[in-house]
């Protein structure tokens, strides 16, 4: 599902909104953000969907310019290049960046999350974008780990191992786990890295 962002201005005051379900909603929210500091006579200067926005002050007169693009970096870089070409001496300062990213809805995941996984192993993870800035965002990094599945052909016993640092460690644990059920012929059938 697409989301919308908008930017409104009133003199030297600006207001922005991202991650909303319609262009009209993004425009209203940008105007409300602009008006919260008492500004009047505002106008929506830009809306975009499924993109990032950047705003920059240009030159000695502090004129604001806006640009949308696929990423904040591309939008900001484009404004910077425009400003440097037009302003020989003065200010080129990014004053706002934000993104309205698409929301992927699936029947099996609750609102605010998207499907992850594969090969019959699935789950849901929070959507990284399109959320209001007041909500928490994951700021860490993924730690890779190994897992394995073992099966005993003689009686169908299985063993499972997850979260191991190496493939060898996962396979050793899974074979041992399977043998705890009493089957002597357990063997690792599948190893995976997440």
């Amino acid at each position: 599902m697409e989301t919308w962002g908008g930017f409104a201005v009133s003199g030297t005051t600006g207001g922005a909104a991202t991650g909303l379900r319609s262009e009209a909603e993004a425009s209203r929210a940008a105007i409300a953000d602009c008006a919260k500091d008492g500004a009047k006579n505002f106008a929506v200067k830009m809306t975009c969907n499924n993109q990032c926005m950047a705003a920059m002050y240009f030159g000695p007169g502090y004129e604001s310019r806006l640009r949308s693009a696929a990423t904040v970096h591309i939008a900001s870089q484009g404004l910077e290049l425009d400003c440097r070409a037009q302003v020989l001496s003065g200010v080129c300062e990014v004053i706002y960046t934000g993104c309205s990213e698409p929301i992927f809805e699936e029947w099996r995941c609750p609102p605010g999350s998207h499907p992850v996984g594969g090969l019959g192993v699935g789950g849901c993870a929070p959507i990284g974008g399109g959320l209001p800035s007041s909500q928490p965002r994951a700021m860490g990094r993924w730690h890779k780990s190994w897992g394995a599945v073992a099966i005993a052909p003689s009686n169908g016993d299985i063993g499972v191992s997850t979260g191991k640092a190496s493939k060898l460690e996962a396979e050793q644990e899974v074979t041992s786990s399977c043998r705890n059920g009493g089957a002597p012929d357990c063997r690792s059938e599948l190893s995976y890295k997440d």
Side-chain angles (χ1 to χ4, degrees):
M1 168 183 304
E2 65 185 17
T3 65
W4 287 83
F7 199 89
V9 295
S10 173
T12 59
T13 302
T18 59
L20 298 163
R21 301 280 176 130
S22 71
E23 184 176 18
E25 192 177 353
S27 295
R28 282 192 301 273
I31 288 171
D33 189 46
C34 190
K36 75 180 179 192
D37 293 325
K40 298 187 184 320
N41 302 321
F42 19 75
V44 175
K45 293 294 185 180
M46 181 197 321
T47 59
C48 64
N49 68 318
N50 296 346
Q51 288 196 327
C52 298
M53 301 183 299
M56 177 179 275
Y57 278 139
F58 268 47
Y62 289 97
E63 175 186 351
S64 63
R65 300 279 176 98
L66 307 167
R67 178 168 286 192
S68 66
T71 66
V72 165
H73 177 74
I74 294 170
S76 299
Q77 188 176 40
L79 282 172
E80 180 77 23
L81 291 172
D82 289 350
C83 185
R84 294 292 168 213
Q86 296 173 24
V87 178
L88 300 177
S89 64
V91 175
C92 295
E93 179 184 350
V94 174
I95 57 170
Y96 172 80
T97 60
C99 294
S100 286
E101 298 171 348
I103 296 173
F104 299 98
E105 292 186 17
E106 290 284 328
W107 64 271
R108 65 184 178 124
C109 292
S113 64
H114 65 95
V116 295
L119 298 174
V121 179
C124 297
I127 293 173
L131 298 174
S133 60
S134 64
Q135 293 196 11
R137 288 186 151 205
M139 299 303 287
R141 64 180 180 92
W142 290 101
H143 296 272
K144 300 297 182 188
S145 63
W146 285 89
V149 177
I151 299 173
S154 61
N155 64 3
D157 280 355
I158 62 167
V160 177
S161 172
T162 61
K164 300 302 169 194
S166 71
K167 181 178 180 180
L168 179 62
E169 186 181 356
E171 289 177 343
Q172 287 173 340
E173 181 180 289
V174 77
T175 303
S176 173
S177 171
C178 180
R179 287 187 180 139
N180 285 342
D185 59 340
C186 291
R187 64 177 185 253
S188 181
E189 292 291 325
L190 171 70
S191 300
Y192 63 90
K193 182 177 178 183
D194 63 2

